[in-house]
Amino acid sequence: MLYNEYMPKSHPVLITVKRLVLVLAGAVLMALNINTFVSQGNLIPGGFTGLALLIQKICLQYGSLHVPFSILLFILNSVPAVICFKFVGKKFTAYSCLMILVCGLLTDWMPQAKITVLIINAIRLQDTLLSAVFGGILNAVATALCLYADASGGGTDFIAIIISEKYRMDSWNQIFAGNCIILAVAAFLFSLDRALYSIIFQYVTTVSISVLYKGYQQKTLFVITDKPDEISALIYRMTNHGATTFEGLGKYENAKRVMLYSVVAANEVDHLIKGIKEIDYAAFINIIKTEQLNGRFYIRPKD
């Protein structure tokens, strides 16, 4: 089958190892980012991570009370984790909770360890704008690693995943709007300029995630071919999505043509094109980004 040729299945053990490595790498990068770019720029990164840092700052400044970041992060993520466990998947939630656990503990531990202190001091920027930009990129990389492991960074990522699963739309812009509320509170209580820099941080994160991860984006395919039956069968085998045919007249040669219409996940397009070209090298393929999708659409299970 062409499905096995172009989209080979990995061994379950290798998949588990891959997911663990990606989640742990994401957790380490996230904790490092909090202790370097976020801390040095005095930024509020948004999401539940930013909310935990904001609460920590409020407790320290207005109550002279130091609350561990990890405790706040665990408490804030408890309810979304239960909801995600019910509506998204057990393994997805378990790997996400692992990411939250490791990230929280490492964030509190790194400033105390001599080895990581050297790294933190080496990554020291005096320019807050640079901290916001590169911190946002690093934050996006950490989040994307978790998403590629079929997990998340928790908090608003949980919410984004639930929205994306239910409505099949890229919801990161909506999450960005919600994060602005957190930043507005930070601006009111602390510093307006730091809140504005934090908006830059969050915007860079949102744009970078959209570029790095396309799992919740869809693409519309228009395929003009002389082998519609074989290609429609290929689309179903590789993506579990159907195709609709339209008959038309190609005016260049005045010959009858058949066009296939199908909507697939964006991360399936490259493999699909290879399979189509194997069947019909002369096939004409037009790919369009799908902004929003309503109706029956197959969602590949996470667990």
Side-chain angles (χ1 to χ4, degrees), residues 204-220:
V204 172
T205 296
T206 301
V207 173
S208 299
I209 289 176
S210 298
V211 172
L212 293 172
Y213 185 75
K214 301 181 183 297
Y216 293 101
Q217 300 176 18
Q218 292 86 39
K219 294 292 181 70
T220 298

Side-chain angles (χ1 to χ4, degrees), residues 16-178:
T16 300
V17 172
K18 176 185 176 182
R19 294 180 75 175
L20 285 172
V21 170
L22 289 174
V23 166
L24 293 176
V28 172
L29 286 179
M30 187 73 74
L32 181 64
N33 190 35
I34 293 172
N35 282 293
T36 52
F37 296 117
V38 173
S39 177
Q40 292 165 14
N42 199 19
L43 304 171
I44 302 295
F48 280 18
T49 299
L51 184 57
L53 290 172
L54 179 60
I55 295 173
Q56 190 179 44
K57 288 177 180 291
I58 292 173
C59 292
L60 186 62
Q61 181 164 329
Y62 294 96
S64 300
L65 177 64
H66 177 72
V67 182
F69 169 80
S70 56
I71 300 299
L72 294 172
L73 190 65
F74 299 158
I75 294 174
L76 291 172
N77 279 282
S78 57
V79 174
V82 173
I83 297 174
C84 213
F85 182 85
K86 182 178 180 180
F87 290 101
V88 178
K90 298 177 181 178
K91 291 183 179 179
F92 171 85
T93 307
Y95 282 108
S96 300
C97 289
L98 175 63
M99 194 280 180
I100 296 167
L101 175 66
V102 175
C103 176
L105 294 176
L106 284 179
T107 300
D108 288 333
W109 172 78
M110 280 183 176
Q112 312 299 326
K114 293 182 179 180
I115 297 177
T116 52
V117 166
L118 295 175
I119 299 174
I120 292 172
N121 289 333
I123 309 175
R124 186 172 294 278
L125 297 177
Q126 302 299 324
D127 193 321
T128 306
L129 180 59
L130 289 178
S131 293
V133 172
F134 286 98
I137 293 173
L138 188 59
N139 191 54
V141 171
T143 303
L145 287 175
C146 294
L147 292 173
Y148 277 114
D150 282 334
S152 76
T156 50
D157 288 352
F158 276 147
I159 299 172
I161 298 298
I162 293 172
I163 294 174
S164 298
E165 289 284 329
K166 186 174 182 180
Y167 298 104
R168 298 308 301 172
M169 59 183 291
D170 196 335
S171 59
W172 299 111
N173 289 330
Q174 287 78 6
I175 296 301
F176 171 71

Side-chain angles (χ1 to χ4, degrees), residues 165-276:
E165 289 284 329
K166 186 174 182 180
Y167 298 104
R168 298 308 301 172
M169 59 183 291
D170 196 335
S171 59
W172 299 111
N173 289 330
Q174 287 78 6
I175 296 301
F176 171 71
N179 288 332
C180 288
I181 298 175
I182 298 175
L183 299 177
V185 175
F188 178 76
L189 294 176
F190 299 104
S191 172
L192 176 60
D193 62 335
R194 297 299 168 180
L196 294 176
Y197 279 122
S198 297
I199 291 178
I200 296 174
F201 174 97
Q202 192 60 41
Y203 178 76
V204 172
T205 296
T206 301
V207 173
S208 299
I209 289 176
S210 298
V211 172
L212 293 172
Y213 185 75
K214 301 181 183 297
Y216 293 101
Q217 300 176 18
Q218 292 86 39
K219 294 292 181 70
T220 298
L221 270 66
F222 294 98
V223 183
I224 299 175
T225 176
D226 293 327
K227 300 179 179 179
D229 293 336
E230 293 93 327
I231 292 179
S232 61
L234 171 75
I235 293 173
Y236 183 77
R237 286 201 305 269
M238 294 184 68
T239 68
N240 210 36
H241 295 299
T244 302
T245 60
F246 297 90
E247 293 185 357
L249 180 67
K251 298 304 294 182
Y252 182 75
E253 295 179 345
N254 262 345
K256 291 184 178 181
R257 292 285 184 263
V258 176
M259 182 178 71
L260 289 173
Y261 162 83
S262 183
V263 181
V264 300
N267 56 2
E268 297 172 328
V269 170
D270 291 340
H271 297 290
L272 194 55
I273 290 176
K274 290 181 182 179
I276 292 173

